[in-house]
Amino acid sequence: MDDSSKSSEPRECSSPLLSTEILQAYHHGNDGVACEEKRQKETWSVPAILILTTLVAVSGSYVFGSAIGYSSPAQNGIMNDLNLGVAEYSVFGSILTIGAMIGAIISGRIADYAGRRAAMGFSEVFCILGWLAIAFSKVGWWLYVGRFLVGCGMGLLSYVVPVYVAEVTPKNLRGGFTTVHQLMICCGVSLTYLIGSFLNWRILALIGTIPCLVQLLGLFFIPESPRWLAKFGHWERSESVLQRLRGKNADVSQEATEIRDFTEALQTETEATIFGLFQLQYLKSLTELV
């Protein structure tokens, strides 16, 4: 009995306190935590140029909001100074949407052929001219011209700003950064309404040019969209811009390859037009909706 108990003691002492499977799971869990910490670190290490690029782009979103919020606080001042009736001022308020509709129709073509930065620049030129026409108007039709021009610029911005922000940001930050577009629209509406409660309508129109000038000048300091550059075959420049947006130490080879593959696949497809909706193969789907 003594010998057997003695011989069994080493075997009991030599057995590990934790099984091999538990140890492997522990090490695997540590690796997972380390990977998660690394991923979170990469998520929050946003290059300054990417933040600057986004802020310049969403300055146009603020212009969008300020154009919408202008008509309400300026109503009494404009109607009294220019002797406009309710019907005439209603035209001033609603003509913005007509200009925005026209701007939205041509925004895709301008952004595709001239570039994202050029499209934002064109839109701000329209907005600046529109705000100046409103601020210095002496008759009602100058108000209409100015409001229409602001609407055209607003329509351009409504398309190109979220597209540009989505194209310059990485996938793990894209959703958060593009929501700033909506946030700045709301800020533009709110602040314009608030400031307009205390200032003259002409001064308020001049203040509307400030975010336009901020974006117009900021466009000289931000890069073109790497996806737009890749679309026109500027591969080296596209990868250089991508490296600048992600940081000098970031590995952009995989993202650059994805952009190249997507661009090449997109170029093989035929360009769709609005008349394609009226093909016979879509007739059943359209009639069922009706």
Side-chain angles (χ1 to χ4, degrees), residues 70 92 130-137 142-143 146-147 150 201-202 205:
Y70 177 79
F92 171 76
W131 284 122
L132 292 177
I134 294 172
F136 296 104
S137 60
W142 268 114
L143 284 175
R147 188 74 165 166
V150 173
W201 62 275
R202 295 185 187 273

Side-chain angles (χ1 to χ4, degrees), residues 62-79:
Y62 184 91
V63 175
F64 186 113
S66 63
I68 297 174
Y70 177 79
S71 59
S72 181
Q75 180 176 356
N76 291 332
I78 291 178
M79 291 178 66

Side-chain angles (χ1 to χ4, degrees), residues 277 279-290:
L277 293 174
Q279 296 179 15
L280 292 176
Q281 57 182 328
Y282 304 126
L283 182 60
K284 182 179 179 182
S285 300
L286 292 173
T287 53
E288 285 179 353
L289 292 175
V290 176

Side-chain angles (χ1 to χ4, degrees), residues 23-251:
L23 289 173
Q24 290 177 350
Y26 173 77
H27 290 301
H28 180 71
N30 285 345
D31 293 341
V33 171
C35 292
E36 180 66 19
E37 291 177 351
K38 182 180 179 182
R39 186 188 66 81
Q40 292 179 354
K41 183 178 179 181
E42 291 175 352
T43 299
W44 289 106
S45 60
V46 183
I49 183 61
L50 182 59
I51 298 175
L52 174 65
T53 300
T54 304
L55 290 177
V56 170
V58 297
S59 298
S61 307
Y62 184 91
V63 175
F64 186 113
S66 63
I68 297 174
Y70 177 79
S71 59
S72 181
Q75 180 176 356
N76 291 332
I78 291 178
M79 291 178 66
N80 293 332
D81 293 348
L82 300 183
N83 297 318
L84 298 182
V86 176
E88 293 171 311
Y89 192 80
S90 298
V91 174
F92 171 76
S94 60
I95 201 171
L96 178 77
T97 57
I98 299 175
M101 180 180 64
I102 296 175
I105 291 173
I106 63 176
S107 61
R109 292 291 183 181
I110 294 177
D112 284 344
Y113 291 108
R116 314 311 192 207
R117 288 196 310 166
M120 288 187 282
F122 286 141
S123 66
E124 296 303 355
V125 170
F126 280 119
C127 290
I128 290 173
L129 293 176
W131 284 122
L132 292 177
I134 294 172
F136 296 104
S137 60
K138 301 295 183 182
V139 291
W141 67 272
W142 268 114
L143 284 175
Y144 302 154
V145 171
R147 188 74 165 166
F148 178 79
L149 290 175
V150 173
C152 290
M154 191 179 77
L156 283 167
L157 291 169
S158 67
Y159 169 78
V160 69
V161 169
V163 168
Y164 178 78
V165 173
E167 289 181 344
V168 299
T169 50
K171 290 186 291 186
N172 60 336
L173 298 174
R174 191 168 297 154
F177 272 58
T178 50
T179 55
V180 181
H181 168 65
Q182 298 293 334
L183 176 64
M184 292 300 289
I185 291 176
C186 297
C187 289
V189 174
S190 303
L191 290 178
T192 301
Y193 186 87
L194 179 64
I195 296 171
S197 302
F198 303 98
L199 297 179
N200 180 271
W201 62 275
R202 295 185 187 273
I203 297 176
L204 187 62
L206 291 176
I207 291 176
T209 62
I210 295 176
C212 302
L213 292 171
V214 168
Q215 185 178 57
L216 195 60
L217 296 176
L219 291 175
F220 293 99
F221 302 97
I222 64 175
E224 183 56 85
S225 165
R227 290 183 179 272
W228 183 83
L229 293 170
K231 180 180 179 181
F232 287 89
H234 306 299
W235 303 109
E236 293 183 0
R237 188 180 169 194
S238 173
E239 189 167 351
S240 175
V241 168
L242 196 63
Q243 187 71 65
R244 181 185 173 191
L245 290 169
R246 302 294 179 265
K248 62 180 181 179
N249 296 323
D251 183 11

